[in-house]
Amino acid sequence: MRINKQLSLLLGRKERFISELTTLVKRGVLVSNVLPVFIGFWLALHFSNDSFMNHGNVFFLTMIGSTFVIAGALILNNWYDVDIDRLMERTKKRPTVTGTIPLHVVLSMGIILTVLGFILLLFTTVEATIYAFVGWFTYVVLYTMWSKRRYTLNTVIGSVSGAITPLIGWAAIQPASHIVPIVLFLLIFIWQMPHTFAIAIRKCEEYKAAGVAMLPVVHGLNVTKRQIVVYVACLLPLPFYLMSLGTTFIVITTLLNVAWFVLSLYGFFTKNELKWARIMFLCSVNYLMILFFLMMIVTLPIFSQPK
């Protein structure tokens, strides 16, 4: 009985530690940033007429290295933002706030993961490592430490760090001067604006209490809704720069863009703005997942055309 009790306690502690760790690295955000790295890698192989079989080691180094760098950046964000995380409902249970993981340990974890990630990426290409560094520096220094609490421009700055991720994957195979990774960068950058604004509308009061300079906090909902419409409209022409992915991709992506644009306009006519913002957020998440899935499907050998 005593052994069983001790085992239960150990398992319970292990589960709590894993739960705290996944919260610390912002599991959902981590996955959503690593996935574009994979997409960039996948498309680079497709457009260079190559296969995973020839680049297994590079793939492993790229994915693990980029995951470490992104996780390190997210952990450092948690470490730096502990004071405002205490004031927000959705962040007040993070281990940095509750104290279950000491701040000096969090700082060390963020630095170690970052360094390890860069070392692994250096075994791929210098260009991929440079893109990873630009993303890390933009998120940790320019976004977290400089602009987040001061300027509504913080959303634009933060979006750069997220949009650069597919360039990491692509550059591990070939230089990212191709039209496809450039359009991917623009697509993810523009997508993040209405996505983040939708979150900011839903959590406006929390951001206000924490002193975070989000657009709806500083300039109000009407300005935010106008910017959402503008940014979603900017997505409309992008699929046509990806003609090499085929007609099916262009048609489906355009239909998604039009539907999202109509939904963004609905924000000016609804009285339940919080519900609308929630729907916008859910649509934005599914939008990007559908696009990535489409990119993979249309480039499978059985569907893609010889280049």
Side-chain angles (χ1 to χ4, degrees):
M1 291 293 292
R2 180 178 295 179
I3 293 175
N4 289 336
K5 186 176 181 180
Q6 289 175 340
L7 285 173
S8 297
L9 286 172
L10 287 172
L11 289 173
R13 289 173 183 172
K14 180 181 178 181
E15 289 176 359
R16 284 195 298 272
F17 175 75
I18 293 174
S19 176
E20 297 285 2
L21 195 59
T22 56
T23 301
L24 187 63
V25 298
K26 304 181 183 180
R27 178 178 56 188
V29 180
L30 177 64
V31 172
S32 65
N33 278 273
V34 172
L35 182 56
V37 179
F38 171 78
I39 295 298
F41 193 95
W42 173 281
L43 292 177
L45 289 175
H46 171 74
F47 284 98
S48 60
N49 288 308
D50 216 329
S51 68
F52 276 100
M53 298 297 293
N54 297 329
H55 297 278
N57 291 336
V58 175
F59 176 71
F60 174 81
L61 291 167
T62 302
M63 297 309 300
I64 300 299
S66 59
T67 299
F68 281 2
V69 170
I70 295 167
L74 294 170
I75 290 172
L76 291 172
N77 171 268
N78 275 339
W79 167 77
Y80 190 83
D81 279 349
V82 62
D83 57 331
I84 61 176
D85 283 347
R86 290 193 180 98
L87 305 174
M88 300 182 66
E89 187 66 30
R90 69 187 183 92
T91 58
K92 67 180 184 181
K93 292 184 179 180
R94 287 177 178 171
T96 46
V97 177
T98 61
T100 51
I101 302 180
L103 285 178
H104 71 275
V105 174
V106 173
L107 177 59
S108 298
M109 289 173 61
I111 294 172
I112 291 170
L113 280 175
T114 298
V115 172
L116 286 176
F118 284 133
I119 291 172
L120 291 174
L121 286 173
L122 280 171
F123 285 97
T124 61
T125 66
V126 173
E127 185 179 349
T129 309
I130 290 173
Y131 289 135
F133 175 77
V134 170
W136 181 92
F137 183 81
T138 303
Y139 185 76
V140 174
V141 179
L142 299 183
Y143 170 72
T144 301
M145 298 181 178
W146 176 59
S147 66
K148 183 175 182 179
R149 309 178 191 216
R150 296 179 178 89
Y151 312 109
T152 57
L153 194 65
N154 64 37
T155 306
V156 175
I157 294 170
S159 294
V160 171
S161 62
I164 209 166
T165 48
L167 301 185
I168 300 171
W170 185 288
I173 297 297
Q174 60 175 305
S177 54
H178 194 282
I179 184 64
V180 171
I182 293 172
V183 174
L184 272 178
F185 172 87
L186 292 173
L187 191 153
I188 298 174
F189 170 78
I190 295 169
W191 167 85
Q192 283 181 100
M193 302 301 290
H195 172 78
T196 305
F197 288 154
I199 297 173
I201 291 173
R202 293 175 60 208
K203 305 296 181 181
C204 186
E205 293 304 316
E206 291 186 35
Y207 281 121
K208 185 182 296 184
V212 180
M214 299 302 289
L215 190 64
V217 174
V218 178
H219 295 293
L221 292 183
N222 284 333
V223 171
T224 306
K225 287 188 285 187
R226 285 200 296 271
Q227 289 211 17
I228 286 176
V229 170
V230 170
Y231 279 109
V232 174
C234 288
L235 290 172
L236 292 171
L238 290 185
F240 298 97
Y241 290 95
L242 297 173
M243 298 291 291
S244 53
L245 291 180
T247 304
T248 301
F249 175 82
I250 294 170
V251 170
I252 295 176
T253 305
T254 299
L255 290 174
L256 289 173
N257 286 341
V258 171
W260 199 14
F261 180 69
V262 172
L263 179 61
S264 67
L265 288 174
Y266 181 68
F268 292 104
F269 303 97
T270 181
K271 294 181 179 179
N272 193 338
E273 292 166 325
L274 290 180
K275 182 179 179 180
W276 168 77
R278 181 175 179 275
I279 296 172
M280 282 291 293
F281 167 76
L282 293 174
C283 286
S284 68
V285 173
N286 287 295
Y287 170 89
L288 203 61
M289 294 302 104
I290 292 171
L291 253 60
F292 288 159
F293 180 73
L294 273 174
M295 288 176 184
M296 290 183 61
I297 292 297
V298 299
T299 52
L300 288 172
I302 59 173
F303 294 112
S304 59
Q305 298 295 322
K307 296 174 289 302

